[in-house]
Amino acid sequence: MTTAVSAAQPGAPRPAPGPAADEGLARRLRALACTAPLHDLDVRKANLAGEYSTYAMAEVALAAIDVVTLQMDFDTGADQEETIARLLPRIAAQAPDRPAAEHERVARWVLENLINVGSVDRGFRAVYGTFGPDGAYVRRDYDFKLIEEVPGPGGTVYLRTTDEAVNVLVGALDTDVTSAQIAAEVKLEVLVNRGRLADAQLAAEQARYRTVQYAETLRRALEATRRNVRSVDWLKTVPDMISEALDHVADRYRHENAILTNIRRVRDETGDERHPDHKLRAAELVDIVKDCIRRHTQLQSRLLDAGPIFRAEQDRQAFATPAARVGLDLYGQLLHPILPEPLERATRVTDAFFARGTGPRTPASVRLGDLVDLLLTPPAPREHLGAEMPEPDLIATPDDSRFSEEHHAAAAELLELAPEAPRRLSGLLAEARRRDPELPYLVALIAVHAASPPVGTAYRQGEQRLLFAVDDGTELDDPEFGGADLIVGTALLDAAGMAAERSEAPARAARGTKEHDL
């Protein structure tokens, strides 16, 4: 993702080691980049038609991220209209004398900018610089999103916050989810025990955000598994994550239940005369911690279902029944039979085949309005010789084959067997090993493929000989290979039958196209 590298000037001093070359600097730069779209809202609000300077757009954006995050579930997200409805009281408090329609417009404008509706990929990009191992200054692109639109059941669209948005809300980018969750829980317990319920409420909300982010990580892994089971490391990465997550959930259960007991004790024992707002804070904390426990219960059930989901997807993707249809052999069924024919007969077959084998074409205009625009648009002037063709940049493909042309020629010579004199694979391997140490691998590969020879394809392509291999139960005695000691031989194909097949192929192909039309 590197976009540009500026080389250091000759004789220039190298940057001092420390924060300039540390990964921590890159994390802080990315954290700063994630807050840029929020600050940009206050800069661009002057472009709106009307007087919107009284609205704090960054504050509304943070509130929108908060609302979407707390409405997110494991399988669904937040409804856009409900999110706007929850934002309206905060926006109305900033400008109570403005009409409700203006408040709704501000809410939609902020939400659409967080989604970044105007861009192609609906994402943000920031450029930051770091120092490489050689001391050169490297500019990098950082692509991120804050709120995503995801499809839901029945054609609905939900909103989901990304990891970057949660990190902006909490204030720590690239923080380990487990360690951040434990730190938030410990901080919450200490604040509750000390009676600082206002700070405890903020810590509880941060703990809930981390829980949402942890569940989102698991959801993405399962979603990628449903698309392609090979794209997710189910051998080590995901099982380790599930095991750690289950231990994490068990610890959080015990921790949160103890915190809930302490909060209820503070709520019930606090006197109204000294701390009139403590009972209200404690009641709000009880609701937040209960929501954390509910989310952990849901996360635990999803973690327990992750293994069966993986096995079911593996069975579905790896062992699915192939399509029950026969492919078309263009060379054997079309090209080879018509090559000996005269041009007049051959073109009738090829014209009939390609006219119906190319598939349907999309019309240039599918609506009446498009057709009218197409007819009324004057033709564009053309160059006499057409547009200039770009010069192709051809790159030679490296030959990374293990076997050379000499190996293939030697294997073909070795397997040029008489039809009446088949040989054992063990003898062929021994003779190939005397010629070249690499040759036995190619001979063994060809012999294994010959165990299921493509008789029909060779017959249609006019082959005179066909290599075959048969297993008679004899075990292979070889220092490098194991398995069956195959009997490898050559079979002669019916030349007369192939000649008759070639003579009937054009007529049969023409009949096939007519039947296809019917």
Side-chain angles (χ1 to χ4, degrees), residues 299-430:
L299 178 60
Q300 184 186 33
S301 64
R302 298 296 180 176
L303 288 169
L304 295 177
D305 292 340
I309 289 176
F310 161 68
R311 290 188 290 271
E313 289 298 323
Q314 187 183 43
D315 293 342
R316 183 182 67 85
Q317 298 178 27
F319 305 107
T321 304
R325 63 176 182 270
V326 180
L328 180 64
D329 184 3
L330 288 178
Y331 177 80
Q333 295 179 342
L334 182 66
L335 181 60
H336 189 273
I338 66 174
L339 282 178
E341 299 296 327
L343 183 61
E344 181 183 356
R345 295 184 58 186
T347 53
R348 291 205 302 266
V349 178
T350 55
D351 291 346
F353 174 80
F354 288 107
R356 294 157 182 83
T358 54
R361 290 179 295 179
T362 305
S365 58
V366 296
R367 297 180 303 177
L368 182 60
D370 298 336
L371 180 60
V372 172
D373 292 340
L374 185 63
L375 294 175
L376 296 181
T377 302
R382 296 183 178 182
E383 297 290 340
H384 180 64
L385 298 178
E388 183 180 358
M389 297 296 294
E391 186 70 21
D393 186 10
L394 303 179
I395 301 177
T397 304
D399 185 9
D400 55 354
S401 176
R402 177 178 179 179
F403 306 108
S404 62
E405 295 293 335
E406 291 76 11
H407 287 140
H408 285 279
E413 179 184 355
L414 189 60
L415 295 174
E416 188 73 24
L417 304 175
E420 66 277 0
R423 296 184 60 181
R424 288 280 183 184
L425 178 60
S426 55
L428 292 173
L429 294 176

Side-chain angles (χ1 to χ4, degrees), residues 112-300:
E112 290 177 357
N113 279 272
L114 291 178
I115 303 173
N116 205 3
V117 174
S119 63
V120 177
D121 59 349
R122 301 206 168 184
F124 300 95
R125 170 171 291 185
V127 181
Y128 66 97
T130 58
F131 289 96
D134 57 349
Y137 185 73
V138 181
R139 296 189 184 275
R140 301 183 183 277
D141 289 339
Y142 176 50
D143 296 313
F144 64 95
K145 295 181 180 181
L146 295 179
I147 297 180
E148 292 180 305
E149 292 178 318
V150 295
T156 58
V157 177
Y158 290 113
L159 302 179
R160 297 188 70 93
T161 53
T162 62
D163 291 340
E164 292 82 3
V166 176
N167 284 323
V168 168
L169 188 63
V170 177
L173 190 74
D174 288 349
T175 306
D176 181 68
V177 174
T178 305
S179 62
Q181 176 73 20
I182 294 174
E185 298 285 2
V186 173
K187 178 181 178 182
L188 176 59
E189 183 181 20
V190 171
L191 293 174
V192 169
N193 291 335
R194 293 182 179 179
R196 298 171 57 185
L197 297 184
D199 295 335
Q201 182 175 354
L202 178 60
E205 291 173 351
Q206 291 180 353
R208 181 166 56 177
Y209 297 145
R210 288 300 172 190
T211 303
V212 173
Q213 191 177 19
Y214 204 84
E216 183 71 5
T217 302
L218 177 64
R219 187 192 67 84
R220 290 182 178 178
L222 294 179
E223 184 179 350
T225 300
R226 291 188 180 95
R227 289 195 301 268
N228 184 6
V229 72
R230 295 182 179 87
S231 64
V232 184
D233 182 13
W234 279 91
L235 185 63
K236 182 174 177 58
T237 305
V238 177
D240 290 348
M241 182 196 70
I242 292 176
S243 178
E244 293 174 3
L246 288 173
D247 295 339
H248 159 81
V249 169
D251 293 339
R252 301 285 67 76
Y253 275 147
R254 292 190 294 269
H255 212 88
E256 288 165 352
N257 285 322
I259 292 173
L260 194 59
T261 302
N262 292 333
I263 295 174
R264 286 170 175 165
R265 177 179 54 80
V266 172
R267 181 192 60 186
D268 298 336
E269 296 178 359
T270 301
D272 291 342
E273 63 279 357
R274 294 183 56 188
H275 303 284
D277 61 335
H278 272 203
K279 281 188 177 292
L280 179 59
R281 294 287 187 184
E284 294 176 353
L285 273 175
V286 169
D287 294 337
I288 294 175
V289 175
K290 281 184 177 180
D291 186 55
C292 288
I293 294 176
R294 180 188 66 83
R295 291 181 182 273
H296 278 124
T297 304
Q298 186 185 50
L299 178 60
Q300 184 186 33

